[in-house]
Amino acid sequence: MATPLNHPQRRPPLFRRAIKIRHRKAHEVQDPLPQTVQEVEPPSHHFSSEERALLYEEALYTVLHRVGQPEPSHVSEASELLRYLQEAFHLDPEEHQQMLQQTQQLEKPMLFLKATVKQAKGILGKDVSGFSDPYCLLGIEQGVGVPAGSSPAARQRQKAVVRDTIPEEQTHRTQVITQTLNPVWDETFILEFKDITSASFHLDMWDLDTVESVRQKLGELTDLHGLRRILKEVRKDKGQDDFLGSLVLRLQDLRSREDQWYPLEPCTETYPDRGQCHLQFQFIHKRRATRASRSQPSYTVHLHLLQQLVSHEVTRHQAGSTSWDGALSTQAATILFLHATQKDLSDFHQSMAQWLAYSRLYQSLEFPSSCLLHPITSIEYQWIQGRLKEEQLEELATSFSSLLTYGLSLIRRFRSVFPLSVTDSPARLQSLLRVLVQMCKMKAFGELCPESPSLPQLVKEALRIGTVEWFHLKQQHHQPMVQGLLEAGKALLSLVQDITGDLHQCRRTWNKIFHNVLKIDLFPMAFLELQWLVAKRVQDHTEAVGKLVSPEMGEGLFQLYISLKEFCQLGPSPSETDGVLALDGFHRWFQPAIPSWLQKTYSVALARVQRAVQMDELVPLGELTKHSTSAVDLSTCFVQISQTAQQLDWPDPEEAFMITVKFVEDTCRLALVYCSLIKARAQELSACQKDQGQAANMLCVVVNDMEQLRLVMGRLPTQLAWEALEQRVGAVLEEGQLRHTLHAQLQGALAGLGHEIRTGVCTLAKQLEVGIAKHIQKLLGVRESVLPEDAILPLMKFLMVELCYMNTNLVQENFSSLLTLLWTHTLTVLAEAAASQRNSQLASNRLKIALQNLEVCFHAEGCGLPSEALHTATFQALQQDLALQAASSRQLIQKYFCSRLEQQAETTSEELGVVTVKASYLPSEQKLRVELLSASSLLPLDSNGSSDPFVQLTLEPRHVFPELAPRETQKHKKDLHPLFDETFEFLVPAEPCQEEGACLLLTVLDHDTLGTDDLEGEAFLPLRSVPGLPEDKEPGEVPQTRLPLIYPAPNGDPILQLLENRKGDREAQAFVRARRQRAKQAAQHALRPGR
């Protein structure tokens, strides 16, 4: 039977009738909200024992009288739900059993099916127009069971299922929707039933057929199908509706709530596809026998039950050391779903209850604020102010005001409420802000709290007040136990450091959250508030300290100064601030402490250097690190001084320059002090050593330490930022004053270091120079039978051992310096030895081979001295001298002719005359053909002003061409431009012609009848360049060669001097005499008047 939702009494059975409730009026007939009193503070979430008993009875009643199949995600067993309720209400088993028995004895509720016919689609068109005028008949058939698994198709179908099985007063009808195949009704009916196991829901859909004339129907005719319909109508009784489909459902198969499309079943198989109908079902209770249902509105009871279960969920998670994520357990979700369904609470009232419960619990229990977003969204979507009474509006407004006040209190204390030590704190704060934003955007909030200031304005004020409160709490926390300036300074330093850390967190984390959600920049606001508070306390402290600053006080002030610098660096730029900040120019407060800071820095560094040298054993740190521990400590001291200068970074340019000068002066002083200390330490340790090698090791380490110090000193301009300082002081100091002052200090220190390093390297070099000189002298005294390569082995082994040792113990820079000194000394010793052994070819050969091997040794495949450093002028001269001294006589003769060929190639002047020849080699005949064409511009050597020239042709050197006699041309009388035009052929193989120095010597002579022929000049033609020799082919057209005449060198040739010193070599002596004679003749002509 159908019962009106708003009727207070149950009608007698015979007069029961269903009251149709249209969906558009459903919101007007809900249970009224309970009257509440506006409160500023939220009520406690705990209930009295009597209230808990009423709620427990209500919950037990809901579970015991569950109707319908369970939802897939819900708990199906009643025992599990009862156990959960016992736990949620904290009842012992006896109390639970007693309450359960009392509840089981209560009267059962009246059961109703709330059915909503939403719409249909795809139904049959029964009218001539192809459409239908559908309506539905529905009701509940009670007491006739339908076998499980059967369908209406299995039963004997009747056209009038509802009309034939359900009494007319229990049958309900929808409106008629005309001319459609997809009707929409959206009508709700309340249907009473007794026993769910034997009740079934029936629905028939009909096409309303009104009485029309045949003429009217023919007017609507559109096709042949419509004609057949007209004929069918003629046979049918007038006014009889057409059957469209039916639906039969067992109530026990339905869930507590259903929302589905159901297919319509036909009576015959003529049209099996009859379309679908969209239905919604809900099992509800009436006349519940619980005390809460009889005394309180359904909405209030559901609110209290929700509050109790959520409170239990939160406390249960807290007991397990976990945070509730807002998701109800399946047991709680099942119970709340059943209660809302049985009490027929609308979605709006459920959302309202959820909002009130969650917003109250959030203020007393810890759970995510994101749980409030869903009820906010639901209320906003369904909000209609007119549906609520005044007291209900006050209750909602109170919840808004209470949550806003509580949220602002959390925001004011966000540093302690949402600590970053907890990983999810930023997310929790962001969630709270979003909840407040969504709440303030609600239409309900705007209508109920119209005078509330804007949320950003409220949050800004809360943040400002909270920042000041947090500062005072921090200041109280750091208050020293003992009164005094030192303790006060330490407390103030800790306070500034905490504030700086908080600002870092604000800029890195909190500012992003407030800006993203509310467009509020927290960081500038917090900085401006805190800087005023900090400035006042720092200025008071520095004034209390005064101008006489002790070392202990200076250390504290320096740390405070550094912390304030970091604090100010966080602040906005001057262009972003309005007016002057309280901390602008704060460095002036610390000006009296600067001398103390500088003296402290130097004293600490000096003490560390002295301690480091005293503990240094002068042993290399490792294979790659060749300096000792004290050099590392000294480098660290310099780095610390640079860091102190960088931390200080004094804003005033002129004072910053003076501070930098002091830092550089102290650094240079430390460097020189270190040199003295490390040398004294080396002498101290060497005095205890009997092994000279160990003393050399220590000397190497000392040199390496000084070299490391020089490298560190070289980085001083970069570490102290001289360039930036120069730009800052440009307007204060004279041009070049900074560079002159600072660089002069640094260069002076570096020069001193360089002198110390060179002194150490020279000491090492002198130890090796003695050994090198001894081995070179021994090299000269080895007997002649020993090969030169074997003779130099002792020298090379000595150098290999010593240089490897030095390379191992010296850094590369110092090792290179040592090699340079040793190389210079070795060249000097070799040059002296070469000069003393000038007449000994054997000794010179040994020295030559020694020089070659020493060059390789000192170069060391690119790891030693570079080629430019090796090939000095001394080396080149020595190399050339030794190459000549070690050569044989014939080799020297060949070198002599090579030098004359070079002289010939370099001569361009024809002052002495010129000779023209054509020379070629005939490989097939092994003949050298020389055509002497002419000579010209000869010198007049006779007294008559002319000459009698002829040319002597000789193949030189003579030992290369021993069997070829010289040839001569005809003599021409009184002719300075003779035309010879004579051809000479020399039978000679090609190989000798290609040897070094092989040439054709053309000697132009003036014939004297009574005396020796005079020398006009000489010309040298290299045989290697003669056509036919290089290519080994027959020459073609032979070009003429014009050769200027030249004289031998007037000052003597070094090769001739070497040959002259070889007295026992006849060939050498004969060659020297011949060449001396030529030089003598040339000298006589050069001394003649007019030449």
Side-chain angles (χ1 to χ4, degrees), residues 955-973:
L955 293 182
E956 296 290 350
R958 296 301 304 160
H959 65 270
V960 178
F961 306 100
E963 299 179 356
L964 297 177
R967 310 286 182 88
E968 290 184 358
T969 64
Q970 298 294 324
K971 299 177 180 61
H972 291 249
K973 294 292 186 177

Side-chain angles (χ1 to χ4, degrees), residues 111 126 175 262 279 291 302-303 311 320 450 601 712 820 834 884 936 948 993 996 1082 1088:
L111 303 179
K126 290 291 187 176
Q175 290 183 345
Y262 296 94
L279 300 177
R291 291 172 291 172
H302 187 75
L303 169 61
S311 175
T601 302
V712 174
T820 302
L884 294 177
S936 61
D948 303 325
C993 297
E996 183 181 12
R1088 289 184 179 182

Side-chain angles (χ1 to χ4, degrees), residues 60-80:
L60 293 176
Y61 194 85
T62 300
V63 174
L64 294 176
H65 298 285
R66 180 178 190 172
V67 184
Q69 295 293 326
E71 296 290 327
S73 59
H74 288 176
V75 177
S76 58
E77 295 294 332
S79 58
E80 183 178 350

Side-chain angles (χ1 to χ4, degrees), residues 819-828 830-831 851 855 858 865-880:
L819 287 181
T820 302
L821 293 175
L822 292 179
W823 179 246
T824 303
H825 173 75
T826 302
L827 290 179
T828 303
L830 287 176
L851 180 62
E855 178 189 5
F858 277 83
L865 292 178
S867 300
E868 302 80 34
L870 291 171
H871 298 161
T872 61
T874 303
F875 169 79
Q876 294 177 358
L878 179 61
Q879 186 182 40
Q880 184 177 1

Side-chain angles (χ1 to χ4, degrees), residues 890 893-894 897 901 921 926-928 953-966 986-1001 1021-1024 1026 1029 1067:
R890 290 187 172 182
I893 292 172
Q894 287 181 269
F897 284 107
L901 288 173
Y921 184 79
Q926 291 191 343
K927 288 182 179 180
L928 175 66
L953 292 81
T954 309
L955 293 182
E956 296 290 350
R958 296 301 304 160
H959 65 270
V960 178
F961 306 100
E963 299 179 356
L964 297 177
F986 297 90
L987 185 61
V988 60
E991 288 78 8
C993 297
Q994 296 179 351
E995 288 194 15
E996 183 181 12
C999 62
L1000 173 65
L1001 173 58
L1021 177 68
L1023 296 183
R1024 289 182 175 182
V1026 171
L1029 276 176
E1067 184 177 6

